[in-house]
Amino acid sequence: MKQYSLILFLSSVIVFFTTTTATTTLPASLSSNATFPALIVFGDSYADTGNNNYLNTIAKCNYPPYGINFEGGTPTGRFGDGEVFPDLIAEGLGIKRTIPASLDPSLTPQDLLTGVSFASGGSGFNPRISQSRSALSMTDQLKQLKEYIEKLKQNGGEETTDYIISKSLFLVVAGSNDVPSATAGNFQLDVPSYTSSVIKLASDFMKKLYGYGARRILVVGVPPFGCLPSQRTLGGGLQRDCDQNYNDASKLFNSKLSSMLDSLSETLQDAKLVYFDYYNSLLEIIQSPQNYGFEVADRGCCGTGLIEVLWLCNKYTASVCPNISAYLFWDGYHPSERANRIIISKLLDKSIPMLL
């Protein structure tokens, strides 16, 4: 019976990819038969596809004008004007059009087979960060993974579940709330000490993922925080320059994160842990926006673009810029869908082949 379930699953995967690859162009660096059955996601607002809609938290964006470029112009709880990292990666790999939130009550068994996002806006590797924002901590997200695995077993059996978990792509986009807290001195530690403590928590998280069966793990570094519109306003002076202290903290964290992942790749049997350099990928666009067709790179599209994010970006007090595609950032913290597409195209070309 288990064998029969696995055959049925593999048949459905073949049919799925046959029907989707006709409309999805894979990067040239990917071979046509290199596929992942599912995308399973963890992290913060850069990867949350709507989980915070179902939490008692102020970190929500399930209202206009968020989602203005999403299907039907619908706000879904994604932190941007349209699709976010998990959606674009899943689309680029031919897995499915968008990645649903794990807490969405309308999830179907088919949704589970091809992956979900456990990410929660406001989360961080440090559980105190998540607690302060009433977000799902990374530990909470691991608990949800355990429940997800049990649901897979109920729907398809042990062999199907083992196949999905061992062959799927696990995406981790976290740290974006930890690093600013380090720079602000919220935990009475200097930046080097605090970033090292967060990296230890991140390492523990990766090991637990491995313990659940994950073997291909893609980890996205943190962006150049000092160049985000809101931080330019808060710490960039009258000229709103990039805040170098925040950028230095980001670079330090990313350096430690990359080294940690390299070390784990050597010690965890049959595992591949790959780091994606989000910092320089985004900074390159910020420094040369015209090369990518952007006209505005220091302000967001929502409201004045100086500080608006979350509830400050709303249809009552914040107007939307007339040409969203000209703006690198949607709000004071999150890039626009168009910018995300450019960044994810780099990720698909550079990082995915290292996981195959």
Side-chain angles (χ1 to χ4, degrees):
M1 186 65 186
K2 289 180 179 178
Q3 229 175 358
Y4 180 66
S5 298
L6 181 58
I7 291 170
L8 283 178
F9 171 73
L10 291 174
S11 298
S12 67
V13 170
I14 291 170
V15 170
F16 181 79
F17 280 105
T18 300
T19 58
T20 56
T21 51
T23 58
T24 303
T25 303
L26 295 177
S29 55
L30 272 179
S31 60
S32 60
N33 63 346
T35 55
F36 304 90
L39 177 64
I40 302 170
V41 185
F42 306 83
D44 52 35
S45 62
Y46 289 106
D48 186 350
T49 58
N51 283 314
N52 278 18
N53 296 350
Y54 309 100
L55 301 178
N56 184 21
T57 173
I58 60 172
K60 294 179 187 286
C61 54
N62 55 344
Y63 46 81
Y66 282 96
I68 193 171
N69 280 333
F70 198 76
E71 299 170 358
T74 305
T76 61
R78 287 168 170 81
F79 290 73
D81 61 305
E83 295 179 13
V84 292
F85 284 4
D87 303 314
L88 299 172
I89 293 173
E91 179 184 2
L93 293 175
I95 296 173
K96 57 183 172 184
R97 184 72 176 80
T98 57
I99 292 292
S102 62
L103 294 181
D104 187 340
S106 66
L107 281 179
T108 67
Q110 185 61 37
D111 290 327
L112 297 178
L113 287 176
T114 48
V116 297
S117 173
F118 302 109
S120 175
S123 185
F125 286 115
N126 184 341
R128 292 170 63 185
I129 296 289
S130 307
Q131 183 179 18
S132 68
R133 298 165 189 196
S134 300
L136 293 174
S137 69
M138 301 303 282
T139 300
D140 292 332
Q141 294 177 39
L142 282 175
K143 290 177 181 176
Q144 286 200 10
L145 172 64
K146 184 178 180 181
E147 295 173 4
Y148 167 80
I149 292 173
E150 289 305 312
K151 290 178 182 177
L152 285 179
K153 290 178 180 178
Q154 293 169 13
N155 290 325
E158 292 275 356
E159 289 189 46
T160 297
T161 301
D162 290 345
Y163 176 86
I164 293 173
I165 298 302
S166 64
K167 300 298 183 183
S168 291
L169 175 60
F170 284 73
L171 174 68
V172 181
V173 189
S176 295
N177 295 302
D178 295 296
V179 174
S181 295
T183 309
N186 291 348
F187 296 99
Q188 298 180 335
L189 291 172
D190 57 31
V191 172
S193 298
Y194 183 71
T195 52
S196 292
S197 69
V198 174
I199 292 299
K200 172 62 169 61
L201 293 169
S203 177
D204 291 342
F205 178 84
M206 305 304 164
K207 291 174 184 175
K208 289 174 182 176
L209 267 189
Y210 179 84
Y212 279 112
R215 291 298 178 268
R216 293 187 278 187
I217 304 171
L218 175 60
V219 182
V220 176
V222 300
F225 284 109
C227 293
L228 303 186
S230 56
Q231 192 51 44
R232 282 178 181 264
T233 301
L234 295 172
L238 293 177
Q239 301 300 315
R240 296 185 65 252
D241 297 321
C242 293
D243 185 331
Q244 197 55 47
N245 288 334
Y246 272 75
N247 279 357
D248 287 344
S250 298
K251 287 190 287 187
L252 179 62
F253 178 85
N254 284 334
S255 175
K256 294 179 180 181
L257 178 64
S258 178
S259 296
M260 177 269 286
L261 295 172
D262 287 342
S263 177
L264 289 181
S265 291
E266 294 176 0
T267 57
L268 298 179
Q269 186 176 4
D270 298 325
K272 293 181 179 180
L273 294 91
V274 172
Y275 168 80
F276 173 67
D277 185 1
Y278 182 25
Y279 182 101
N280 285 301
S281 297
L282 181 57
L283 187 63
E284 179 183 346
I285 306 174
I286 291 171
Q287 293 176 337
S288 302
Q290 66 282 353
N291 292 346
Y292 296 89
F294 293 109
E295 298 173 13
V296 182
D298 63 348
R299 288 181 287 114
C301 170
C302 187
T304 65
L306 302 177
I307 196 73
E308 288 88 348
V309 66
L310 299 180
W311 62 89
L312 293 178
C313 176
N314 63 79
K315 66 179 181 180
Y316 302 106
T317 64
S319 60
V320 175
C321 62
N323 183 11
I324 299 175
S325 65
Y327 281 70
L328 172 54
F329 289 94
W330 161 249
D331 62 17
Y333 201 82
H334 304 96
S336 64
E337 178 185 321
R338 182 166 172 264
N340 283 337
R341 286 187 177 276
I342 295 170
I343 292 163
I344 293 306
S345 70
K346 295 182 180 184
L347 179 150
L348 293 171
D349 281 330
K350 295 178 181 180
S351 299
I352 294 300
M354 300 170 65
L355 289 158
L356 303 178

